Amino acid sequence: MPRPTRPSTFMILAALVGAMLATALPGPAEAREFKRIRDVNVSCTNTLRCDLYITNPRVTLYTVGFRRAAAFEAPVALYLTMREALAAGSEVRFVIDGTEQLTVPVGAFSYRAAIAEYSYDDQEAVRALFAAAKAGERLQVTYRTRNGQATAQFSLAGVVAGAIFMDEVQGRVGREDALQAIGTVADTPETPGAAVDETLADLGAVPAGLQRYYDGVGAPCADFDGAVPDPLGGFTAEITDEIRLVGLRCGSAGAYNAPFAFWKQIDGTYYRLALPVMTEDGPGAEMVAWNAVWDDETDELTAFFRGRGLGDCGVFNRWDIGMVGFNEGFVLREMRVKDECDGEFDETMQSWDRLWPPQPDKS
């Protein structure tokens, strides 16, 4: 299967970074994976039960966390660890950036006295709180013990990256039950411009003219490692009155990268489209785009091959449809790369190395 220009470099870097973190960062004795991202910790046991938690050792309430087992669609629990027991009949209030998100009566918590831990697993409430935590900057928790009422402050810096890492460890990246995707319906925005065609549910829904790409050993899009995604995933878009663009998942995904192939349809005939890229040796072409999204408003295709699940390195491409010789095809408008998986995030990718258009000569 085709691969993007530099995946081997990313995989090696990611492995090295992961190895260094695993040896450099302490964690519970039972933990198989541990990572600290800004002010958030993620710890996973050998059974892949993971905790995403924030600590404040200066207060009685010294840990606020979210816990999840590895099972498909396992519930998410909110938990608190205390130096003193909460007062009976009191409430715990959770405020994010000045807005109250949740109030829980102490009696609604499950309490494990041996480890001074309170847990709460009402899924609608916990998911809404977690969605707010991903979008917020500071969490304030007000509670009461026998010594009176108190308030603890926690930084939320790193919650999103921690959720992605937790999903990566538990194998949820790209799945509907991913922690990064969790929220109430209102809190989970639709992907803008994705133009998903819900009818592309399985291989049987692939248009007849494209079946040869999916049928039989050696077909370019047939390798799904025995697990065809449902829905298959793809989109259709009208380019002109005579031409439609079709994009479909093409083969199995990795931990956090899914390949898509593209065709233009003219009078019932499908023509596969190549995707121009820049390489170290000059112009080249790929036959798949990774994690591709089509924007109906701008008629642009973007693709982001993640060097690792955190998204702090990889390859980004942007194409639109234009004339390639005498026919319509993809035209490369932007390509950026970042080889070093250093934990530094730039959502705009403007700080990444630009391979296309060429950087201006400053000499």
Side-chain angles (χ1 to χ4, degrees):
M1 178 179 295
R3 293 290 188 265
T5 307
R6 304 184 182 186
S8 58
T9 302
F10 301 143
M11 291 176 184
I12 292 171
L13 281 170
L16 289 174
V17 171
M20 287 189 290
L21 285 168
T23 56
L25 296 174
E30 66 170 346
R32 187 182 71 86
E33 298 279 357
F34 177 87
K35 191 166 191 174
R36 182 172 178 85
I37 305 171
R38 301 181 73 178
D39 296 319
V40 169
N41 306 281
V42 180
S43 177
C44 300
T45 68
N46 288 326
T47 60
L48 299 187
R49 188 199 73 177
C50 293
D51 290 8
L52 184 154
Y53 60 97
I54 318 163
T55 59
N56 185 345
R58 296 182 296 275
V59 296
T60 299
L61 168 59
Y62 61 90
T63 304
V64 176
F66 297 89
R67 175 176 296 144
R68 196 179 199 192
F72 180 73
E73 291 188 341
V76 182
L78 166 69
Y79 70 91
L80 315 173
T81 50
M82 308 284 300
R83 290 191 173 90
E84 298 177 18
L86 292 168
S90 65
E91 296 178 330
V92 181
R93 295 176 60 243
F94 299 84
V95 175
I96 293 178
D97 296 341
T99 301
E100 183 171 331
Q101 300 291 337
L102 177 65
T103 297
V104 182
V106 167
F109 286 98
S110 297
Y111 181 53
R112 298 175 63 192
I115 57 175
E117 180 184 281
Y118 293 82
S119 63
Y120 180 69
D121 61 3
D122 181 289
Q123 286 305 282
E124 183 177 355
V126 172
R127 287 168 180 254
L129 180 64
F130 189 77
K134 290 190 296 181
E137 296 182 0
R138 184 157 295 276
L139 168 67
Q140 176 181 296
V141 184
T142 301
Y143 56 94
R144 184 159 59 88
T145 68
R146 63 183 180 181
N147 291 321
Q149 186 163 296
T151 297
Q153 304 282 346
F154 298 87
S155 167
L156 297 174
V159 170
V160 172
I164 295 172
F165 177 72
M166 190 163 156
D167 287 335
E168 186 177 332
V169 171
Q170 293 186 328
R172 301 183 194 274
V173 174
R175 287 177 15 187
E176 292 181 358
D177 65 332
L179 190 65
Q180 166 59 4
I182 275 186
T184 63
V185 172
D187 292 323
T188 307
E190 296 181 1
T191 303
V196 173
D197 187 340
E198 299 294 346
T199 65
L200 300 173
D202 53 39
L203 292 184
V206 172
L210 297 180
Q211 285 290 340
R212 63 189 180 92
Y213 291 93
Y214 291 86
D215 290 341
V217 177
C221 297
D223 180 14
F224 281 97
D225 291 339
V228 179
D230 183 12
L232 178 63
F235 66 88
T236 60
E238 186 175 296
I239 303 303
T240 70
D241 291 341
E242 293 81 24
I243 300 174
R244 292 194 65 80
L245 176 67
V246 178
L248 291 174
R249 277 281 297 272
C250 180
S252 59
Y256 30 78
N257 292 299
F260 286 76
F262 305 90
W263 296 264
K264 62 180 179 181
Q265 178 191 10
I266 304 175
D267 293 331
T269 302
Y270 293 87
Y271 304 88
R272 190 166 181 184
L273 297 176
L275 297 137
V277 296
M278 290 301 296
T279 73
E280 294 176 345
D281 298 322
E286 302 282 358
M287 297 309 294
V288 295
W290 299 84
N291 307 318
V293 173
W294 173 260
D295 190 322
D296 270 334
E297 293 184 2
T298 63
D299 287 346
E300 288 185 334
L301 179 74
T302 57
F304 177 23
F305 179 89
R306 292 175 176 268
R308 61 175 178 172
L310 297 183
D312 57 339
C313 56
V315 178
F316 172 80
N317 293 284
R318 179 170 59 87
W319 301 271
D320 61 19
I321 297 291
M323 295 303 296
V324 180
F326 297 101
N327 298 293
E328 293 81 1
F330 284 116
V331 177
L332 181 64
R333 298 304 183 191
E334 184 180 10
M335 182 173 181
R336 293 180 180 270
V337 300
K338 182 182 177 187
D339 286 336
E340 184 179 3
C341 300
D342 55 9
E344 296 293 327
F345 298 91
D346 178 0
E347 293 184 359
T348 68
M349 300 183 184
Q350 294 302 301
S351 63
W352 290 27
D353 293 337
R354 193 176 77 188
L355 298 188
W356 190 262
Q359 296 278 14
D361 188 357
K362 298 181 181 180
S363 59

